[in-house]
Amino acid sequence: MTMTHPSASPVLDVVSLGKYFTVGGGLRTQQLRALHDASFSLGEREVIALVGESGSGKSTIARLLARLMPPSSGKILFKGRDILKEEPSRASLAYRGQVQMIFQDPFGSLNPVHTIGYHLERPLLLHGKANNPAVLREKVHSLLTTVDLNPAAEVAAKFPHQLSGGQRQRVAIARALAVDPSVILADEPISMLDVSIRMGVLNLMERLKEERGISYLYITHDIASARYVADRTMVMYAGHIVEGAPSEELMQQPAHPYTKLLLSAVPDPQGSIRSELPARSGTPKLINPPPGCPFADRCPSVMNTCREQMPETADLGSGHWVRCHLFPPGSVAASAHHERKVPASVEAAAV
Ligand code: SF4
């Protein structure tokens, strides 16, 4: 099932995207399956959160969409164009301008020997957005002002180490904005920032969505922050998207046992963890994975069939779907679906 946006014309359509890596060598060559059959569409001015733990495949999706590596299977449609059929040339450069990426580590993504102004000038020049030094300087200052880095002339003359983590992430956002993107792929954009400045960066992203019509794929391991920023949330486990829904619906009525585990592990404001489900140990097997559900080794509801067959997608209505044998396809009102409400800790720990 494709997670579709209600709007008629999505900006990005991801169709059965897969990524496998070859590991080892000679007779020991094996396939690491990082991403299986991911399908969804991202609408204009929409924020989709991809939530999951390390190794779940969420950053792999972002890197495939940014064309930092080729997929093993599937399609990426940008405004209806199959961009994987376009050769690395002018068309590809235009796509990269339209689909920008923000990385987790704002310091690592900036070159310490260059000024902030230099970092913003480069994309402007590369994409032909300024044709003389005066226009270039004006655009750099305008970008810095847009992300609330003032006085712009002073900030432009600074080096990355002279800014705070939050300011550096704002520079990374300004750099992405330099080429007027339609989509920003934000890979854990606040996870390395102090808690006190996370909200400011998320609010900036929200404002830019409204002002510039930008859509975001927001990648995070923090399901509470997904609730704060995302229209829809998709949950990933072991390279599979296992559940997707409007964010509020997902938090109020999680269906997949893994989603419930994520929600129950959100720290409450007093700093403790409220885990209502047994957090069974076990890491998913990405190399030669066994048949069946990838969550079977950790799932408190595991059944025999879970170890034999991969669950089909069940439509739970209102844009909510899940891949779990507790919800056979067609059983919209499966009994397990409405048994749990969002924990108070998720309400409180939005970021
Ligand atoms: Fe658990 Fe089975 Fe559902 Fe997988 S398919 S999440 S093992 S109940």
Side-chain angles (χ1 to χ4, degrees), residues 216-337:
Y216 292 92
L217 191 64
Y218 173 67
I219 290 156
T220 181
H221 61 274
D222 176 8
I223 198 165
S225 74
R227 184 187 197 208
Y228 181 73
V229 296
D231 302 296
R232 292 185 290 156
T233 296
M234 299 189 298
V235 178
M236 294 199 68
Y237 187 80
H240 297 264
I241 304 178
V242 295
E243 185 168 9
S247 297
E248 195 60 30
E249 159 82 9
L250 190 91
M251 309 299 160
Q252 296 285 351
Q253 305 285 355
H256 197 281
Y258 178 58
T259 309
K260 293 181 180 181
L261 192 63
L262 286 178
L263 283 167
S264 64
V266 172
D268 72 17
Q270 278 74 46
S272 61
I273 305 282
R274 301 175 167 206
S275 190
E276 298 166 15
L277 295 171
R280 293 190 183 190
S281 61
T283 46
K285 223 171 161 244
L286 299 180
I287 298 176
N288 297 332
C293 171
F295 192 55
D297 285 343
R298 295 174 67 184
C299 182
S301 308
V302 63
M303 305 169 281
N304 285 341
T305 186
C306 302
R307 299 192 187 280
E308 293 159 6
Q309 285 179 1
M310 186 70 195
E312 299 281 316
T313 301
D315 183 357
L316 303 178
S318 306
H320 190 173
W321 58 269
V322 66
R323 283 184 184 143
C324 171
H325 284 303
L326 294 173
F327 303 87
S331 66
V332 173
S335 59
H337 181 213

Side-chain angles (χ1 to χ4, degrees), residues 114-191:
H114 290 300
T115 64
I116 301 305
Y118 174 88
H119 284 91
L120 300 183
E121 287 170 4
R122 283 199 66 207
L124 289 167
L125 291 170
L126 187 63
H127 289 265
K129 301 284 184 184
N131 52 13
N132 68 60
V135 172
L136 188 59
R137 191 166 49 250
E138 186 195 319
K139 284 190 178 267
V140 166
H141 292 178
S142 168
L143 284 167
L144 289 169
T145 303
T146 299
V147 297
D148 298 327
L149 288 176
N150 291 302
E154 274 181 32
V155 177
K158 290 187 175 181
F159 289 87
H161 73 272
Q162 295 175 297
L163 303 182
S164 69
Q167 289 173 322
R168 286 195 289 262
Q169 196 57 291
R170 285 171 187 268
V171 171
I173 294 171
R175 183 172 55 181
L177 294 178
V179 290
D180 295 324
S182 301
V183 176
I184 290 183
L185 310 166
D187 190 359
E188 302 269 14
I190 59 169
S191 62

